[in-house]
Amino acid sequence: MYNIEHIQYVKATADKVFDALTTKAGLAEIWTEKLVVKPEAGFINEFDFNDNYNTRFKVLAMSRPNRIRWECVDSDQEWIGTFLSFDIEQRQKHTAVVLKHSNWRELTEFYRYCNYNWAWFLYSLKLYCETGEGAPFQRRHF
């Protein structure tokens, strides 16, 4: 199995980062403006990238403000059965956020594409937490 792992340092509290990753307001600024989310274990978050809400993650666990864990239950075939986790650690001058997208079955072109986009996701998180404005899918110009 293969994993994607990234770390980002954010000049914001762990609570602010946690809220950004679990609420509609936060995820709409970070990932996509079209979404249905609820910060509740068992809820299935839905994300739309102009594909009729085809990306769905079940919320497996949340431990405020340090950990979030999701399972992909619907999306591209390569994502189904993978897990996404965010480990959040408050440090003296910043918060460290570790994103892990684990349980990939193969190292494919799509895996590499997603690897790049998860880094962009964390940059968008940083922008949102530090400036109040992220760079979700609908506002990217590339």
Side-chain angles (χ1 to χ4, degrees):
M1 296 293 170
Y2 299 92
N3 300 324
I4 294 172
E5 297 187 26
H6 290 280
I7 191 167
Q8 180 62 275
Y9 301 104
V10 181
K11 292 179 184 172
T13 65
D15 281 316
K16 185 170 186 174
V17 171
F18 185 89
D19 287 342
L21 292 168
T22 58
T23 65
K24 183 174 183 175
L27 287 166
E29 277 292 326
I30 297 166
W31 205 11
T32 180
E33 294 172 337
K34 300 176 185 178
L35 68 162
V36 178
V37 299
K38 196 178 219 182
E40 178 180 298
F43 189 79
I44 297 181
N45 290 333
E46 300 179 12
F47 302 94
D48 188 343
F49 300 92
N50 298 330
D51 60 1
N52 295 317
Y53 292 89
N54 190 46
T55 301
R56 293 179 179 89
F57 282 93
K58 181 177 183 179
V59 179
L60 297 178
M62 295 187 313
S63 177
R64 183 178 190 84
N66 302 105
R67 186 132 164 72
I68 302 159
R69 187 163 161 82
W70 297 343
E71 178 184 8
C72 184
V73 295
D74 192 19
S75 188
D76 184 280
Q77 286 299 312
E78 291 186 46
W79 274 28
I80 296 172
T82 62
F83 298 92
L84 188 60
S85 65
F86 302 94
D87 291 305
I88 305 162
E89 181 186 342
Q90 181 75 56
R91 296 188 180 170
Q92 190 171 1
K93 296 183 180 180
H94 60 266
T95 297
V97 183
V98 175
L99 175 151
K100 294 180 186 174
H101 190 171
S102 59
N103 207 37
W104 285 76
R105 292 173 290 284
E106 295 181 69
L107 185 62
T108 64
E109 182 176 331
F110 186 60
Y111 169 94
R112 290 177 177 98
Y113 174 76
C114 292
N115 192 352
Y116 168 83
N117 280 287
W118 282 128
W120 184 263
F121 173 94
L122 285 178
Y123 178 66
S124 183
L125 170 69
K126 178 181 178 66
L127 287 175
Y128 174 64
C129 289
E130 293 179 0
T131 71
E133 187 173 339
F137 171 77
Q138 289 80 5
R139 290 189 235 150
R140 295 185 196 164
H141 302 287
F142 59 87

